[in-house]
């Protein structure tokens, strides 16, 4: 077991030197890496063992810049991850506006949110933030190598894919929409998401995508849960059950409460909701 509790106390030991390299099947640390195990054994893969109470980064305070909670699905991902894993951060919410690029570029090189500032080290993009935190906190991804590989693939697929879902059902936490129709492309996205969720829960035992614990894989699909709540995307079944688990998370409840309290309105997102169908309810505060 590797203790990283001396982080920040002047040690120069690299992160790689703190890894325990051992066979994930036979547990023999003498097998080496990337060599194969002794005859009759399995191929070696690196296994990172971390004391979850004393990992790199514990006790650090980060600055996380986000956009409107009602609309910003990208901001939600690192926010809910850090909240659920109790990674300390200070939130700075900069609302969408006609000058948002000029406002955002003051703290984010891309002019977009989310953006993490770790005492001058600036990390933008939700996936980059996740991986940055994973280098410091062992609980961001599953510890089991197979589950970790699946979780990373699932998060990456969500990060780069499902364009039909993003286009047809923009995140708008406070409204309820009766959709006019679901295009073939949208239905294909929803089917793939349901398939991916079912695979993860079946392979790793649930209740979350990669096992018993909430990890970054679940955080990346939290915006889909809010989209389902707004647009009624999934039918009764395992996918809807998983959506319910995400919506019930304390961090998701906190985000939703704050989203409803926002009086800001972003015209393009409001137009997207109206384009999707008939708005049957709007539970947000008014100015």
């Amino acid at each position: 077991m590797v203790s990283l509790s001396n982080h920040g106390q002047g040690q120069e030991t690299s992160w790689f030197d703190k890894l325990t390299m051992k066979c994930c099947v036979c547990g023999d640390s003498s097998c080496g890496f990337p060599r194969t195990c002794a005859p009759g054994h399995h191929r070696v893969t690196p296994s990172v063992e971390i004391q979850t109470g004393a990992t790199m980064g514990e006790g650090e305070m980060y600055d996380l810049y986000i956009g409107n909670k009602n609309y910003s699905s990208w901001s939600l991902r690192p926010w809910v991850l850090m909240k659920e894993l109790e990674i300390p951060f200070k939130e700075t919410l900069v609302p969408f506006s006609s000058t948002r690029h000029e406002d955002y570029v003051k703290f984010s090189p891309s002019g977009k949110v989310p953006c993490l500032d770790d005492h001058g080290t600036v990390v933008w993009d939700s996936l980059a933030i996740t991986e940055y935190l994973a280098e410091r906190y062992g609980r961001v991804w599953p510890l089991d190598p197979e589950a970790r590989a699946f979780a990373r693939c699932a998060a990456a697929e969500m990060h780069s894919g499902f364009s039909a879902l993003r286009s047809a059902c923009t995140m708008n936490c406070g409204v309820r929409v009766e959709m006019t129709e679901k295009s073939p492309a949208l239905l294909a996205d929803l089917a793939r998401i349901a398939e991916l969720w079912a695979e993860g829960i079946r392979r790793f035992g649930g209740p979350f995508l990669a096992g018993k614990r909430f990890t970054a894989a679940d955080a990346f699909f939290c915006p889909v849960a809010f989209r389902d709540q707004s647009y009624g995307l999934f039918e009764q079944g395992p996918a809807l059950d998983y959506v319910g688990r995400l919506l019930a998370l304390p961090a998701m409840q906190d985000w939703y409460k704050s989203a409803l309290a926002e009086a800001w309105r972003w015209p393009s997102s409001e137009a997207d909701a109206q384009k999707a169908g008939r708005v049957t309810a709007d539970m947000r505060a008014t100015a």
Side-chain angles (χ1 to χ4, degrees):
M1 186 67 72
V2 180
S3 174
L4 307 183
S5 57
N6 292 324
H7 175 61
Q9 298 180 15
Q11 282 200 341
E12 296 299 328
T13 308
S14 71
W15 167 247
F16 183 81
D17 290 336
K18 300 181 193 303
L19 301 186
T20 298
M21 311 303 288
K22 72 176 185 179
C23 176
C24 64
V25 178
C26 68
D28 185 356
S29 60
S30 66
C31 291
F33 178 78
R35 300 186 305 275
T36 58
C37 300
H41 285 197
H42 304 270
R43 180 168 293 277
V44 177
T45 55
S47 176
V48 183
E49 293 190 86
I50 303 173
Q51 293 179 352
T52 56
T55 47
M56 291 179 71
E58 294 288 357
E60 296 286 348
M61 175 67 75
Y62 302 93
D63 289 300
L64 182 65
Y65 294 87
I66 64 172
N68 304 51
K69 289 184 176 178
N70 186 62
Y71 303 120
S72 186
S73 59
W74 297 104
S75 297
L76 171 60
R77 294 182 173 105
W79 189 97
V80 74
L81 176 68
M82 296 174 79
K83 278 287 187 180
E84 280 296 312
L85 300 188
E86 298 182 341
I87 298 173
F89 68 96
K90 183 181 74 173
E91 167 193 316
T92 300
L93 192 159
V94 183
F96 295 169
S97 72
S98 59
T99 61
R100 67 174 177 172
H101 181 79
E102 291 81 357
D103 296 336
Y104 288 174
V105 80
K106 295 174 183 177
F107 55 80
S108 172
S110 66
K112 298 178 181 179
V113 287
C115 184
L116 185 80
D117 189 325
D118 178 13
H119 301 86
T121 298
V122 177
V123 188
W124 62 100
D125 184 274
S126 57
L127 188 57
I129 292 169
T130 298
E131 293 294 3
Y132 184 82
L133 294 172
E135 293 174 349
R136 289 152 176 78
Y137 298 87
R139 53 196 193 274
V140 169
W141 296 113
L143 292 181
D144 174 73
E146 183 179 351
R148 187 165 64 248
F150 175 86
R152 278 194 159 113
C153 289
E157 187 173 353
M158 182 69 249
H159 184 262
S160 62
F162 306 116
S163 59
L165 173 62
R166 300 180 197 278
S167 177
C169 305
T170 55
M171 196 171 91
N172 195 326
C173 294
V175 302
R176 301 293 180 268
V177 178
E178 185 179 297
M179 295 192 71
T180 304
E181 64 175 349
K182 295 177 182 176
S183 70
L186 174 58
L187 290 173
D189 276 359
L190 296 176
R192 172 55 190 152
I193 289 171
E195 176 187 45
L196 189 154
W197 290 352
E199 179 187 356
I201 292 170
R202 174 184 55 80
R203 285 175 61 184
F204 306 109
F208 294 106
L209 285 188
K212 295 180 179 179
R213 292 191 304 106
F214 177 92
T215 67
D218 304 286
F220 269 72
F221 286 97
C222 280
V224 178
F226 278 138
R227 284 180 165 102
D228 176 79
Q229 181 173 252
S230 291
Y231 297 94
L233 300 175
F234 296 102
E235 304 295 335
Q236 292 291 333
L240 198 58
D241 293 341
Y242 177 65
V243 165
R245 284 194 289 277
L246 294 182
L247 292 175
L249 292 169
M252 289 285 279
Q253 292 287 303
D254 288 348
W255 179 280
Y256 182 60
K257 182 179 179 181
S258 296
L260 295 186
E262 291 179 353
W264 304 299
R265 299 292 183 267
W266 187 237
S268 63
S269 294
E270 296 302 307
D272 287 341
Q274 294 174 8
K275 181 181 177 181
R278 183 172 68 91
V279 177
T280 60
D282 188 339
M283 291 165 282
R284 296 170 293 174
T286 56

